Amino acid sequence: MSAEGLARIRFARSPLWEVTASVRVLKEPGKHPLHHAWRAEAQSRLDRGTTDLSLLFDLVPTPSKILPGFLAPVPAGQRPTLAEELADLRSVPEHSVRAMIESAVRTPSEPVRRLHADPARELSRLAEVIEAYWALAVEPWWPEMQDLLDQDVRHRGALLVEGGAARLFSELSPAVEWREDGLRVRHRYFEGTHVLDGRGLVLVPSTFIWPVVFSKLEPLWPSALRYPSRGIGALWAPKRPASLDALTAVIGRSRAVLLAELDAPRSTTELARRTRMSAGNASQHLTALRAAGLVAVQREGRYVLYSRTALGTGLLAGAG
């Protein structure tokens, strides 16, 4: 990893990668007990669906030694939408699609053979299949997943600021080790050396890949390292709603709910989505809570984040 490569480290989240990684969980449930609660509900939803998902599932071999790179191109921005990533998927060159299928799928099914024969047409079909899968198996949980991934990125960014690349990579995953000349990433099936080009390295937190990491090294995209996000164990745990009646009587329902949601630093946009308030309404209430000393504001890069103060935490605990 050169100095230029270090200077171009960035983070991104990828809804399309979460689709691909979640298919692995569905196909090998015994290897992913952490996601049992999600799998049970998602499989039930998929069983009630009407779209043939075989093309997507056939493209994700298990065990996943290699995944076809076009399934999840490296995001160009930090927070792409699924629609933006599917547009990138549709634009992958035909010869690249064929080469990736040949390297990743040992025994192609009939849907995969059709994709190999006519990538231009079948990539559009694949995008439609992914949209149907997303609506049933990922989208219902996506707001919580977004929050988790965004919090992970903010945490890792703070580590980079505090201790540089060595601190960042030392806490990324047990499979990742920082050395003076770059990274050592332990993979089960492969060994080799890869020199980063001037496009740097994209770090992508993921909900569904714990405990392993995935490297993406195709020349079509910047190099990427996908790693398990922090806090996954609590993601699917049933939420116990706080009893806010006593606090509501004092500060009002909306402000009590916002205070309860600040169990981690969050932006106005995140809080509005979690509480189903408008951003303007949430901002008004947060301003009032801040004036009362119940919440504090901090800036992390381009994010403005609210967090509970000790007074706010004590008030919430005493009321509930």
Side-chain angles (χ1 to χ4, degrees):
M1 186 181 291
S2 65
E4 184 179 11
L6 276 173
R8 293 184 178 274
I9 292 173
R10 65 180 176 88
F11 290 89
R13 72 176 187 212
S14 173
L16 185 50
W17 167 252
E18 295 303 314
V19 167
T20 302
S22 68
V23 170
R24 294 173 56 250
V25 174
L26 289 172
K27 292 183 72 171
E28 294 186 306
K31 293 185 178 181
H32 304 278
L34 198 62
H35 302 295
H36 176 75
W38 167 83
R39 183 187 181 278
E41 176 63 22
Q43 189 63 64
S44 176
R45 289 171 173 266
L46 291 170
D47 290 343
R48 297 194 299 269
T50 58
T51 302
D52 180 5
L53 302 175
S54 57
L55 176 56
L56 172 60
F57 276 65
D58 293 348
L59 284 168
V60 182
T62 51
S64 300
K65 296 181 179 181
I66 303 177
L67 293 171
F70 58 82
L71 275 177
V74 177
Q78 183 183 353
R79 296 160 61 96
T81 64
L82 179 68
E84 290 169 338
E85 291 201 284
L86 288 178
D88 291 339
L89 180 150
R90 292 186 183 98
S91 68
V92 177
E94 293 190 17
H95 69 275
S96 296
V97 173
R98 292 191 176 100
M100 291 172 186
I101 290 174
E102 291 164 6
S103 66
V105 184
R106 291 184 177 275
T107 309
S109 63
E110 181 56 32
V112 175
R113 286 197 292 270
R114 287 197 297 268
L115 174 59
H116 187 276
D118 191 351
R121 182 187 67 191
E122 294 300 313
L123 280 181
S124 293
R125 164 67 181 151
L126 175 60
E128 293 172 358
V129 170
I130 289 173
E131 287 175 327
Y133 176 89
W134 166 269
L136 294 170
V138 181
E139 190 174 27
W141 294 272
W142 184 237
E144 289 77 16
M145 292 169 64
Q146 282 186 98
D147 287 346
L148 185 78
L149 299 174
D150 286 346
Q151 287 180 41
D152 183 272
V153 168
R154 289 196 291 266
H155 174 77
R156 309 292 181 183
L159 293 180
L160 183 61
V161 170
E162 293 170 4
R167 175 77 185 278
L168 168 65
F169 289 115
S170 68
E171 298 189 21
L172 199 66
S173 164
V176 178
E177 179 185 358
W178 170 255
R179 296 192 173 186
E180 290 184 0
D181 58 345
L183 293 179
R184 175 163 295 214
V185 182
R186 291 194 296 276
H187 287 301
R188 182 173 182 179
Y189 300 107
F190 300 100
E191 183 175 358
T193 301
H194 178 77
V195 180
L196 291 183
D197 59 23
R199 294 176 295 176
L201 179 66
V202 183
L203 300 175
V204 184
S206 175
T207 300
F208 288 107
I209 67 169
W210 184 89
V212 300
V213 296
F214 277 76
S215 298
K216 188 175 182 67
L217 306 174
E218 286 103 346
L220 280 179
W221 301 285
S223 300
L225 186 64
R226 290 157 172 155
Y227 65 91
S229 174
R230 300 167 72 245
I232 298 169
L235 183 61
W236 314 123
K239 305 293 190 296
R240 290 198 311 166
S243 176
L244 300 176
D245 293 344
L247 190 57
T248 294
V250 178
I251 65 173
R253 180 70 182 174
S254 295
R255 292 172 189 176
V257 169
L258 285 168
L259 201 60
E261 288 291 341
L262 286 171
D263 53 343
R266 303 188 192 281
S267 68
T268 303
T269 303
E270 291 173 22
L271 289 166
R273 182 174 64 239
R274 292 173 70 92
T275 60
R276 302 187 187 278
M277 298 182 195
S278 68
N281 193 22
S283 180
Q284 261 188 334
H285 290 303
L286 288 166
T287 299
L289 290 169
R290 183 185 182 191
L294 300 177
V295 304
V297 177
Q298 64 192 83
R299 180 175 288 277
E300 291 188 9
R302 64 186 184 89
Y303 295 101
V304 175
L305 304 177
Y306 290 87
S307 58
R308 281 199 303 258
T309 62
L311 179 61
T313 299
L315 182 65
L316 188 66

